[in-house]
């Protein structure tokens, strides 16, 4: 069984990792929201699916983004990508499939001529793909919509994976900047907590996932981190400090929820967890009078 010193050190380190991860992800999400990175990534993904570099692919892309099913917040009159306002960050696959069918049909009266509309596409790759999907659906419009939705989900899965890798890279960079900027050296933190485990007494670890980035930073200041009021350039050449910063930044890639869940587990193990609710009251038996 862990002794108290090991638990105190583990709790301090894990709270440090969770706080840095929360701060880094909050900064990244704020920047991503400001720059509309999710909507831009979705637009790039759909452009690749439709080969929007060609004139006909660009026309299909504009038709989809002007369709209220795919882009309900748009004005429906965009002619170029720059004219698309309030780009959506997410499009349901069923809505995309219907919007693409509408773009191929041109008019509702051509619903029975969908295959001929596909044959008129000049992009050989896109035409072959849509023809295969239409044949797989056996000419059934509902099945064709399902096949298009599946194709869209597969393509967006790749886009989502690329976006996740990009976000992890930037979160690592932000976490490293935070670690160096505030001298959050997990090696120094480990040594200090091992000698003085009572240093985490002021931590409110019970708040867990409810912490905001600003609250996490305030709690982090109660640990032995920081430059003590003066930045030292010589510390940038100390191997142990560099390793400590890199480990702190790397740990943030696991995400704040992972570390906070682990933190709750250690708090319960230490015996300071919350008591179970609705605990039945203990009954006392009194000796009967004879």
């Amino acid at each position: 069984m862990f002794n108290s010193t090991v638990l105190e050190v583990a709790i301090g380190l894990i709270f440090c990792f969770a706080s840095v991860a929360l701060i880094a992800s909050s900064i990244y999400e704020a920047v991503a929201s400001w720059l509309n990175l999710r909507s831009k990534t979705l637009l790039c993904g759909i452009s690749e699916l439709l080969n929007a570099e060609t004139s006909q692919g660009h026309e299909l892309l504009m038709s989809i983004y002007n369709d209220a099913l795919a882009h309900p917040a748009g004005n429906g009159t965009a002619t170029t990508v720059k004219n698309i306002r309030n780009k959506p960050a997410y499009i349901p696959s069923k809505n995309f499939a219907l919007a693409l069918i509408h773009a191929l049909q041109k008019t509702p009266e051509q619903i029975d001529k969908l295959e001929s509309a596909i044959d008129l596409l000049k992009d050989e790759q896109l035409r072959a793909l849509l023809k295969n999907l239409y044949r797989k659906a056996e000419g059934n419009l509902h099945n064709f919509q399902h096949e298009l939705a599946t194709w869209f989900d597969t393509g967006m899965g790749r886009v989502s994976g690329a976006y996740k890798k990009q976000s992890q890279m930037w979160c690592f960079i932000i976490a490293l900047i935070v670690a160096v900027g505030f001298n959050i050296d997990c090696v120094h933190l480990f040594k200090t907590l091992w000698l003085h485990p009572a240093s985490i007494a002021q931590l409110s670890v019970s708040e867990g996932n409810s912490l905001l980035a600003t609250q996490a930073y305030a709690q982090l200041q109660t640990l032995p981190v920081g430059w003590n009021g003066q930045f030292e350039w010589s510390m940038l050449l100390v191997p142990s400090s560099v390793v400590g910063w890199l480990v702190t930044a790397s740990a943030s890639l696991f995400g704040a929820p992972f570390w906070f869940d682990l933190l709750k587990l250690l708090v319960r193990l230490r015996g300071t967890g919350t008591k179970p609710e609705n605990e039945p009251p203990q009954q006392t038996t009194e000796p009967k009078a004879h």
Side-chain angles (χ1 to χ4, degrees):
M1 180 62 67
F2 296 119
N3 59 39
S4 59
T5 301
V6 174
L7 278 177
E8 298 300 322
V9 172
I11 289 174
L13 286 174
I14 291 174
F15 185 87
C16 173
F17 295 153
S19 299
V20 173
L22 179 60
I23 294 170
S25 61
S26 298
I27 294 175
Y28 176 78
E29 288 299 330
V31 174
S33 177
W34 178 54
L35 297 177
N36 297 320
L37 292 183
R38 293 183 184 275
S39 58
K40 291 179 180 178
T41 302
L42 176 65
L43 178 61
C44 291
I46 296 177
S47 299
E48 291 180 1
L49 286 179
L50 300 176
N51 291 336
E53 295 180 356
T54 64
S55 59
Q56 198 161 36
H58 181 268
E59 182 181 350
L60 288 175
L61 178 66
M62 290 297 99
S63 297
I64 290 174
Y65 270 85
N66 285 329
D67 194 310
L69 285 172
H71 185 19
N75 53 18
T77 59
T79 56
T80 62
V81 173
K82 294 182 179 180
N83 292 335
I84 302 176
R85 298 182 179 179
N86 302 319
K87 298 181 183 68
Y90 171 75
I91 297 177
S93 57
K94 293 183 179 180
N95 292 8
F96 171 84
L98 283 175
L100 180 56
I101 291 174
H102 294 165
L104 293 171
Q105 290 177 212
K106 302 295 182 183
T107 58
E109 289 78 10
Q110 291 183 330
I111 192 170
D112 296 332
K113 300 180 181 180
L114 188 56
E115 186 174 12
S116 60
I118 295 175
D119 291 333
L120 294 176
L121 292 176
K122 297 179 181 180
D123 189 325
E124 295 182 2
Q125 183 179 7
L126 184 60
R127 182 175 69 247
L129 173 66
L130 294 180
K131 285 183 68 174
N132 289 334
L133 293 180
Y134 190 80
R135 290 171 182 172
K136 186 177 180 180
E138 299 179 349
N140 184 281
L141 182 62
H142 179 74
N143 293 341
F144 183 57
Q145 176 188 345
H146 175 73
E147 295 296 334
L148 288 177
T150 303
W151 169 58
F152 177 76
D153 285 335
T154 303
M156 290 304 102
R158 294 192 296 269
V159 172
S160 178
Y163 180 84
K164 185 176 181 180
K165 290 181 180 179
Q166 181 185 21
S167 63
Q168 285 183 333
M169 179 191 69
W170 282 109
C171 282
F172 172 78
I173 294 175
I174 295 172
L176 183 59
I177 293 175
V178 171
V180 176
F182 298 102
N183 193 22
I184 306 175
D185 178 1
C186 67
V187 175
H188 171 72
L189 180 61
F190 172 81
K191 294 178 181 179
T192 305
L193 291 180
W194 186 259
L195 296 175
H196 307 284
S199 301
I200 73 166
Q202 298 180 1
L203 284 180
S204 299
V205 295
S206 60
E207 296 181 7
N209 297 20
S210 62
L211 281 177
L212 299 176
T214 53
Q215 295 172 330
Y217 173 73
Q219 290 284 340
L220 196 59
Q221 296 302 299
T222 64
L223 293 174
V225 298
W227 292 102
N228 296 324
Q230 184 177 3
F231 178 79
E232 300 178 10
W233 289 100
S234 60
M235 293 294 292
L236 299 177
L237 302 178
V238 179
S240 62
S241 297
V242 175
V243 171
W245 295 330
L246 288 174
V247 172
T248 301
S250 300
S252 67
L253 297 179
F254 288 93
F258 169 81
W259 291 115
F260 279 123
D261 290 340
L262 186 58
L263 183 64
K264 289 181 180 179
L265 180 63
L266 290 182
V267 170
R268 294 194 189 101
L269 185 62
R270 190 178 62 175
T272 58
T274 57
K275 297 181 179 180
E277 298 180 357
N278 301 326
E279 182 178 358
Q282 296 182 354
Q283 296 181 355
T284 57
T285 58
E286 298 181 354
K288 296 181 180 180
H290 295 283

